Amino acid sequence: MELSAVWTLITLTILRACRVNSLLPIPLIILEDRIQLNSETKVSCVLPASECRCLEVELKIVTTEKLKNCVSHKGNYSNVTCTLDVTKEMNEMELSCEAHFRTKSKPYKLNIQTEPEFTDCPDKLVWIEGQEASFHCKAKGYPPPNVTCQKDSMTYKEGETFITVKNMSGSYTCRAVNFDSVGKKVTVSVEYEPEILSIAVEPAMSVYEGANVTLTCKADGVPSPVYSWHPQVPHVILSGDNKTLQIREVTSVHDGFYICIVQNKHGIKTQQQKIVVNKDIIEAQTNPALFQKGKGEKLEVVFSNLLLLLLSSSLFYYLC
């Protein structure tokens, strides 16, 4: 088949698809009814039909005189309107409108097969316990890569949302995969409000007056919580991080409840521990009068037992 015949077939196919029966729409010139000398008049060119939407049209007003302020409108009922400064010499001047049609295909992208590459994937992520979070690791490549992040047996898709918990902290491997694959390490830190685990008392909750006692508060939280104690009483020594409170030579003033306070930017928690200062036992051991009385009572018991033993021995000898 000759080249000209091919083009003829293509043209006929386009015209048939546009439903114009081998005739393209003809543009029309529209003029104002009364045109006055030395004035400005409008000249318009309009395409009366828009049946052929597969064709792009450009309208142009053709005349020997200069037109100005031309404004075009494309789409349904395409048109162009210009202004003309009227002079006596323009009487019976001819104007026409040309419609230039052209066709074009839809745009198609040229996709070249490329290996995956991370474009936006931070090295560190900070989440808040109990809140919604996700991995934001974007990757480019063709075909578009599939991105997942994994730690142990848990795998999360890029953009997938979930509620965070403490054990999600750690190092993840994020991987972008198409016909090839690329990996990246992402460190996740889950922050949460503090929690008091225990308050240890040494030597015991009940202490003698004059002894030393130590209270140690242990708590968990991210960021690491700040410690403080209430109340502030005399003869108290705090460790550098305030976790440990030591009371030297306790007295009755130290009897009562001690509150450990821990806080970070996500919350505050408290827990109390009671200290009992035992005075009666101390007095029983240190009062000389009480001690001598007790000692005398013990000597009397020993002497009585010894006397009974001697008497029983003498009686046994006499009988024998």
Side-chain angles (χ1 to χ4, degrees), residues 211-226:
N212 297 335
V213 64
T214 301
L215 289 82
T216 302
C217 186
K218 292 184 179 180
D220 181 32
V222 177
S224 297
V226 176

Side-chain angles (χ1 to χ4, degrees), residues 121-127 134-137 174 186-190:
C121 190
D123 297 329
K124 296 181 180 180
L125 293 174
V126 177
W127 299 338
S134 65
F135 284 93
H136 296 285
C137 282
C174 293
V186 176
T187 301
V188 172
S189 176
V190 179

Side-chain angles (χ1 to χ4, degrees), residues 4 17 29 43 45 49 81 85 103 132 135 165 167 174 197 229 248 254 266 298 306:
S4 59
I29 284 287
V43 181
C45 173
T81 300
D85 292 328
T103 62
E132 193 176 80
F135 284 93
V165 293
N167 62 3
C174 293
L197 304 177
W229 292 87
R248 297 286 183 86
H254 297 114
H266 300 297
K298 186 178 292 187
L306 182 60

Side-chain angles (χ1 to χ4, degrees), residues 42-54:
K42 288 185 178 181
V43 181
S44 298
C45 173
V46 178
L47 193 66
S50 59
E51 297 178 359
C52 188
R53 297 184 180 180
C54 60

Side-chain angles (χ1 to χ4, degrees), residues 166 192-200 216-221 225-229 243 258-263 267-273:
K166 295 178 184 178
Y192 51 92
E193 65 179 358
E195 176 186 2
I196 296 178
L197 304 177
S198 65
I199 299 179
T216 302
C217 186
K218 292 184 179 180
D220 181 32
V226 176
Y227 292 77
S228 60
W229 292 87
K243 292 182 180 180
Y258 291 82
I259 302 173
C260 174
I261 306 169
V262 295
Q263 60 181 327
I268 181 171
K269 291 293 179 63
T270 63
Q271 185 172 318
Q272 63 182 10
Q273 175 63 54

Side-chain angles (χ1 to χ4, degrees), residues 161-185:
T161 58
F162 42 78
I163 301 300
T164 59
V165 293
K166 295 178 184 178
N167 62 3
M168 286 184 171
S169 293
S171 179
Y172 290 77
T173 299
C174 293
R175 191 165 297 279
V177 180
N178 54 17
F179 68 92
D180 200 354
S181 67
V182 62
K184 180 178 180 179
K185 294 292 184 182

